[in-house]
Amino acid sequence: MQCHADNAQAGDGPAVGQDEAPLLAPQPSSRTGLCSARSGLALLLHVSLFLAYALRVSLSIAIVAMTNSSHPHGWSGSAPHSSHPGLAWDPPVYNWSAETQGIILSSFFYGYGLTQALGGYCSGLFGGKPILGSGLLLSSLLTLLLPVAAELGVGVLIGLQVLLGLAEGVIFPAQYTLWAKWAPPLERSRLMNIADAGCTFGTFFALLVAGIICQSLGWPFVFYIFGGVGCAWCLCWFLLVYEDPAHHPWISAGEQEYIVASLVQQGSSHGLSLPLMAMAKSLPLWAITIACFCTDWMFYMLLTSMPTFLNNVLHFDLRENGLLSSLPYIGNGLGHILAGLLADFLLARRVLGTAAVRKLFSALGMLLPAAFLLAVPYVGCSSTVVVVLLTLALTIISTTGAGININHMDIAPRYAGFLLGITNTFGIVAGIIAPTAVGLLVGQNLQTGWRNAFFLSAALNLFGLIFYVAFGSGTIQDWAREDTAVQ
């Protein structure tokens, strides 16, 4: 999603040339304090994404308690209520087969992929605040209804999961539309990565707490508690979040002036029409899209397939060791924050240009995890070493948050939400294909299959990085400027 291929050269040296056009020299009013309005927005978005991901993964945890494990191939109806020691009531248990459970869990992504681009487009028209808030509120309400949907039947539950995916699909693109109006170029990395860290921490929190709720209160309360908290938080969202600095009642004059001045070159949000042909021809946009697809392939493979590798090949169950199972999530969340701070430091000190910073952090997040993945088949039977490699890979892959993920904002801030929706859709496709490809390879031969799966993922990341480095850019594209009438 960047601009011209020759812009990549500008990122090779310090702060010279077209690559630095969006950046302003730091001013006293630009210093980010904990009480600044833009830092407050980062915190509010962190909590919102925390809750969105907690809602998203709640079923994948609770389904263990919802199903009768003694009938793994049973029918898909409700089983008699089972006695549950310690509970005042017995929640229903369902005889869902493993295949049925897989269909239920995967149905979320079919809805999730459909509203990515739509969410970005609508947030550009109506604002990121109402679209994100509405998506989170609807997700919370649907989560509250999940126990009822499960009781009504598998078909109803699958339909509700699709609706939940549709609702959550607008959240990330809407966030980018908000940041296009709030994040100065020298602070984008840290502000957006602090917000994005909520995704990982929300997943970790849900994994930690949902099991306890299932044991102490019963699995329906996972959805009642998470959904109820989500609804309550949406009230805070609509009361505390403002679409842009001009409408914020408590922002200081200095902060408002600095944000507006730093974003003056990017123009306002897009209207009804989009320069779709220009976008389709943009090599910088394709650079981000391809890199996102390759990175998400590895990310989803690490999250979904590596635990299977540990269990089937090394006979190590991550669920039996809470510390080791939580390390990848903690590392990924902290990696997001640290990468954002370091990227903005390099930009503010003019050590590197925008394109060079984006490519550097993308290279770190794509090459090093690939190297760790390639090492897995050769470490022998040491499951601990494999877990360490997995943790390092998921930690370092988070540096792409300061690279390709934010690059949408550099090259087309007016369309950042819509473009994020497009690239996220490709990432979701990668998340669907990657586990299937691993299954096909491993099904032929266990040892060789896993090795080939690791090599395939590493090769894709290398290709994606080469394409991104060749065609990536850090400047606003001509078709993304407000005064350019490209249709």
Side-chain angles (χ1 to χ4, degrees), residues 303-486:
L303 282 183
T304 61
S305 300
M306 285 301 290
T308 305
F309 174 81
L310 288 168
N311 184 56
N312 295 347
V313 178
L314 301 181
H315 309 292
F316 178 82
D317 191 352
L318 277 174
R319 291 174 297 180
E320 295 177 354
N321 193 316
L323 175 61
L324 289 178
S325 62
S326 65
L327 284 178
Y329 297 98
I330 297 173
N332 189 272
L334 294 177
H336 264 94
I337 296 173
L338 294 176
L341 292 172
L342 181 56
D344 280 345
F345 174 82
L346 295 174
L347 289 173
R349 295 294 187 274
R350 296 184 176 269
V351 176
L352 295 171
T354 305
V357 167
R358 301 302 179 223
K359 293 172 184 178
L360 171 62
F361 281 87
S362 298
L364 290 173
M366 296 177 76
L367 285 183
L368 291 181
F372 294 141
L373 203 60
L374 290 177
V376 168
Y378 303 101
V379 297
C381 297
S382 176
S383 55
T384 303
V385 174
V386 174
V387 172
V388 170
L389 290 173
L390 169 63
T391 300
L392 289 174
L394 279 171
T395 299
I396 298 176
I397 203 173
S398 64
T399 62
T400 57
I404 53 176
N405 290 358
I406 293 181
N407 203 199
H408 309 75
M409 200 79 68
D410 301 321
I411 67 164
R414 296 187 66 211
Y415 306 106
F418 177 75
L419 297 184
L420 187 278
I422 295 295
T423 57
N424 244 10
T425 302
F426 278 85
I428 293 166
V429 171
I432 295 173
I433 297 176
T436 305
V438 171
L440 292 174
L441 290 171
V442 173
Q444 298 174 1
N445 182 283
L446 188 62
Q447 297 292 341
T448 305
W450 279 111
R451 189 182 303 114
N452 291 339
F454 297 152
F455 274 106
L456 174 61
S457 182
L460 280 173
N461 269 258
L462 180 60
F463 168 76
L465 178 62
I466 291 173
F467 194 92
Y468 179 71
V469 169
F471 300 109
S473 171
T475 57
I476 299 177
Q477 304 300 289
D478 291 338
W479 51 265
R481 298 185 185 278
E482 192 169 13
D483 55 355
T484 302
V486 181

Side-chain angles (χ1 to χ4, degrees), residues 118-481:
L118 179 63
Y121 178 75
C122 290
S123 61
L125 289 179
F126 307 113
K129 172 187 173 178
I131 297 299
L132 191 152
S134 299
L136 186 57
L137 179 59
L138 182 56
S139 300
S140 302
L141 292 172
L142 290 170
T143 301
L144 288 172
L145 296 175
L146 197 143
V148 176
E151 191 66 28
L152 292 175
V154 171
V156 177
L157 180 57
I158 291 174
L160 186 138
Q161 278 289 96
V162 173
L163 291 176
L164 182 60
L166 291 170
E168 287 215 8
V170 306
I171 292 177
F172 252 99
Q175 180 208 183
Y176 272 56
T177 300
L178 271 175
W179 281 128
K181 303 172 185 177
W182 275 99
L186 292 176
E187 300 178 15
R188 281 175 182 160
S189 302
R190 63 174 174 268
L191 288 173
M192 296 177 69
N193 279 15
I194 286 173
D196 285 348
C199 302
T200 307
F201 290 139
T203 302
F204 167 66
F205 177 82
L207 291 172
L208 186 67
V209 172
I212 299 175
I213 296 175
C214 288
Q215 292 178 349
S216 58
L217 299 175
W219 64 259
F221 280 89
V222 172
F223 307 107
Y224 296 149
I225 293 174
F226 285 8
V229 172
C231 290
W233 174 254
C234 287
L235 177 62
C236 299
W237 172 264
F238 285 110
L239 289 176
L240 299 177
V241 173
Y242 294 88
E243 189 66 31
D244 53 53
H247 292 89
H248 199 295
W250 306 304
I251 190 174
S252 68
E255 182 182 4
Q256 184 183 63
E257 180 182 356
Y258 168 67
I259 295 175
V260 172
S262 67
L263 301 178
V264 68
Q265 297 186 34
Q266 70 181 37
S268 59
S269 297
H270 64 78
L272 289 172
S273 62
L274 295 172
L276 296 178
M277 288 301 298
M279 290 178 180
K281 296 176 182 178
S282 175
L283 277 177
L285 177 55
W286 278 108
I288 297 177
T289 303
I290 291 174
C292 284
F293 177 89
C294 298
T295 303
D296 283 340
W297 181 291
M298 175 172 287
F299 180 74
Y300 282 109
M301 179 181 173
L302 287 169
L303 282 183
T304 61
S305 300
M306 285 301 290
T308 305
F309 174 81
L310 288 168
N311 184 56
N312 295 347
V313 178
L314 301 181
H315 309 292
F316 178 82
D317 191 352
L318 277 174
R319 291 174 297 180
E320 295 177 354
N321 193 316
L323 175 61
L324 289 178
S325 62
S326 65
L327 284 178
Y329 297 98
I330 297 173
N332 189 272
L334 294 177
H336 264 94
I337 296 173
L338 294 176
L341 292 172
L342 181 56
D344 280 345
F345 174 82
L346 295 174
L347 289 173
R349 295 294 187 274
R350 296 184 176 269
V351 176
L352 295 171
T354 305
V357 167
R358 301 302 179 223
K359 293 172 184 178
L360 171 62
F361 281 87
S362 298
L364 290 173
M366 296 177 76
L367 285 183
L368 291 181
F372 294 141
L373 203 60
L374 290 177
V376 168
Y378 303 101
V379 297
C381 297
S382 176
S383 55
T384 303
V385 174
V386 174
V387 172
V388 170
L389 290 173
L390 169 63
T391 300
L392 289 174
L394 279 171
T395 299
I396 298 176
I397 203 173
S398 64
T399 62
T400 57
I404 53 176
N405 290 358
I406 293 181
N407 203 199
H408 309 75
M409 200 79 68
D410 301 321
I411 67 164
R414 296 187 66 211
Y415 306 106
F418 177 75
L419 297 184
L420 187 278
I422 295 295
T423 57
N424 244 10
T425 302
F426 278 85
I428 293 166
V429 171
I432 295 173
I433 297 176
T436 305
V438 171
L440 292 174
L441 290 171
V442 173
Q444 298 174 1
N445 182 283
L446 188 62
Q447 297 292 341
T448 305
W450 279 111
R451 189 182 303 114
N452 291 339
F454 297 152
F455 274 106
L456 174 61
S457 182
L460 280 173
N461 269 258
L462 180 60
F463 168 76
L465 178 62
I466 291 173
F467 194 92
Y468 179 71
V469 169
F471 300 109
S473 171
T475 57
I476 299 177
Q477 304 300 289
D478 291 338
W479 51 265
R481 298 185 185 278

Side-chain angles (χ1 to χ4, degrees), residues 52-62 168 202-204 206-207 210 226:
Y53 266 68
L55 296 172
R56 174 175 172 172
V57 303
S58 58
L59 179 59
S60 64
I61 306 162
E168 287 215 8
T203 302
F204 167 66
L207 291 172
F226 285 8

